[in-house]
Amino acid sequence: MTAPALRPPGVPAAAQPLTVADFAALARERLPADVWDFIAGGAGRERTLAANEAVFEAARLRPRALPGIEEPGTSVEVLGSRWPAPLGIAPVAYHELVHPDGESGTARAAGDLGLPLVVSTFSSRRLEEVAAAATAPLWLQVYCFRDTATTLDLARRARASGYQALVLTTDTPFTGRRLRDLRNDFRIPGHIAAANLSETAAAGAATPGAHSRHAFDRSTGWSVVARLRAESGLPVLAKGVLTARDAEAALAAGVAGIVVSNHGGRQLDGAPATLEALPEVVAAVRGRCPVLLDGGVRTGADVLVALALGARAVLVGRPALYALAADGAAGVRRMLSLLTEEFAETMVLTGHATPDAIGPDTVLPPVPPYPARSHG
Ligand SMILES: Cc1cc2nc3c(=O)[nH]c(=O)nc-3n(C[C@H](O)[C@H](O)[C@H](O)COP(=O)(O)O)c2cc1C
Ligand SMILES: CC(C)CC(=O)C(=O)O
């Protein structure tokens, strides 16, 4: 693995990013203000955005004295694949917004660590091109378009190019009310494309809010899961489930997995933090499918807390873009390595030799009031 070239000669090793927060600071320095706002921001008053991280920060871990673990095993099995750590990259649109390496760079980095990448419908590289760069599992995230042919075409192309699952986003009949983007009149720059979509389907995608309002199919119901499965032959996960009721509906529709997610606080402002919602969903699912979580995961200890409360694995969204902005594929590689190392160290300090052993007795449940977070 090559070291990231973030450190000019003469700059001490300590100046290297050591945390996701360090990557965020570098990204903020490097990105135009409106692009930063598009990525870092959320919907409405950004209460849910803030809560995602704050609830993780409020969690307390119970240490284990003399744990007697030389080297923990960090790998987990998800949908028949073994991941070296319970960690993957959530679908985020337009990686080229932050670095010319784009999704191909992210896929290379994830592949170097053997960790999965969920490619967004709004990838700035064609899903086939991303597959060519990948060496670890790829899943394709799917939005449902009013033009059904567009949706089904994505499902078929995913199968044809070796993707292992589809991730149906269920919380976005249109994009949330993102005040930063409205105030900035944010548009995706002209040289960056929604590369997976035909010219007709992509028309207007430069303004994501307006595009979603005319292009997304709001009449979509759970029957689409069977349709996507039949069209692609792939397992379908539902992303955006926060309640027992929706978990039941997803299972009844035949999903292979559930991602507890509030879309990084970008949809319903006031929705629970994902870590708050996780126990309700896990209890409803009763082991019938793997439950993943995204939203607010920023450290390896956060990964362990999510596993303790019943997640099989977690996904990170913004951290991938921050790391890509900071140093392209090398940055993403370093960010994923840091999280994996932190997770392994936290396993030892809490006395866990394998992820399966991490149970609810490992954490004291987070207690409000949660610390206030600033999101720039
Ligand atoms: C800039 C940005 C773009 C996103 N694009 C998509 C997308 O295209 N499809 C999707 O399902 N979720 C999308 N998401 C949501 C992420 O998949 C994920 O739910 C969220 O980022 C997780 O929270 P985190 O950023 O705190 O890790 C996006 C999030 C961000 C920040
Ligand atoms: C282009 C957008 C629809 C991507 C998205 O889901 C988001 O910005 O949260």
Side-chain angles (χ1 to χ4, degrees):
M1 217 183 287
T2 50
L6 283 170
R7 185 159 49 100
V11 174
Q16 290 263 19
L18 266 182
T19 63
V20 168
D22 289 349
F23 277 111
L26 284 167
R28 189 168 189 187
E29 266 168 40
R30 283 166 199 204
L31 294 174
D34 62 344
V35 171
W36 167 262
D37 275 343
F38 171 67
I39 294 166
R45 283 185 281 159
E46 301 191 339
R47 290 175 296 161
T48 298
L49 170 68
N52 278 348
E53 287 188 32
V55 179
F56 273 111
E57 282 189 22
R60 293 291 172 265
L61 293 156
R62 293 156 68 84
R64 178 77 53 86
L66 299 178
I69 298 165
E70 192 71 48
E71 199 60 56
T74 55
S75 76
V76 289
E77 199 194 299
V78 183
L79 299 185
S81 292
R82 197 138 270 281
W83 299 5
L87 174 68
I89 298 181
V92 288
Y94 300 121
H95 289 203
E96 281 187 13
L97 256 186
V98 303
H99 197 281
D101 284 357
E103 286 80 2
S104 302
T106 311
R108 272 203 313 279
D112 286 344
L113 286 151
L115 295 173
L117 164 66
V118 189
V119 176
S120 165
T121 285
F122 287 90
S123 165
S124 47
R125 298 282 177 93
R126 284 175 59 79
L127 64 93
E128 292 82 2
E129 193 185 337
V130 184
T135 49
L138 288 178
W139 295 352
L140 182 72
Q141 176 267 330
V142 179
Y143 279 123
C144 293
F145 292 85
R146 287 191 208 275
D147 172 32
T148 318
T150 296
T151 314
L152 298 181
D153 182 52
L154 287 168
R156 281 191 295 266
R157 287 168 59 198
R159 166 64 172 238
S161 36
Y163 285 67
Q164 295 184 4
L166 299 179
V167 177
L168 171 68
T169 298
T170 62
D171 57 13
T172 308
F174 43 78
T175 61
R177 206 165 181 79
R178 302 171 187 174
L179 297 173
R180 299 194 205 201
D181 297 344
L182 293 169
R183 293 196 170 107
N184 294 334
D185 189 22
F186 179 67
R187 282 149 208 272
I188 307 294
H191 64 284
I192 294 168
N196 288 318
L197 302 179
S198 69
E199 242 171 71
T200 322
T207 48
H211 181 253
S212 69
R213 280 166 176 77
H214 77 76
F216 289 5
D217 181 5
R218 284 188 219 175
S219 72
T220 302
W222 285 107
S223 61
V224 74
V225 171
R227 190 95 197 266
L228 288 171
R229 273 176 63 182
E231 206 65 42
S232 67
L234 294 174
V236 178
L237 295 93
K239 170 176 181 278
V241 169
L242 293 168
T243 63
R245 189 181 58 183
D246 283 347
E248 286 294 355
L251 282 164
V255 299
I258 285 176
V259 185
V260 170
S261 173
N262 52 36
H263 212 111
R266 295 161 78 82
Q267 288 302 113
L268 175 64
D269 186 38
T274 47
L275 192 62
E276 289 175 311
L278 180 64
E280 174 177 329
V281 174
V282 168
V285 167
R286 283 182 280 114
R288 286 175 285 172
C289 72
V291 176
L292 281 68
L293 170 145
D294 75 27
V297 175
R298 298 294 179 266
T299 67
D302 294 345
V303 179
L304 189 131
V305 168
L307 265 61
L309 297 189
R312 177 75 57 86
V314 303
L315 306 174
V316 291
R318 293 181 183 86
L321 285 186
Y322 296 154
L324 191 67
D327 197 23
V332 178
R333 212 156 34 226
R334 180 168 171 87
M335 183 277 295
L336 292 172
S337 306
L338 286 171
L339 284 179
T340 306
E341 280 166 29
E342 287 175 356
F343 173 65
E345 287 169 6
T346 312
M347 284 182 72
V348 175
L349 294 172
T350 55
H352 296 101
T354 62
D356 294 348
I358 302 168
D361 57 337
T362 308
V363 288
L364 301 174
V367 181
Y370 304 122
R373 298 285 304 157
S374 156
H375 284 269

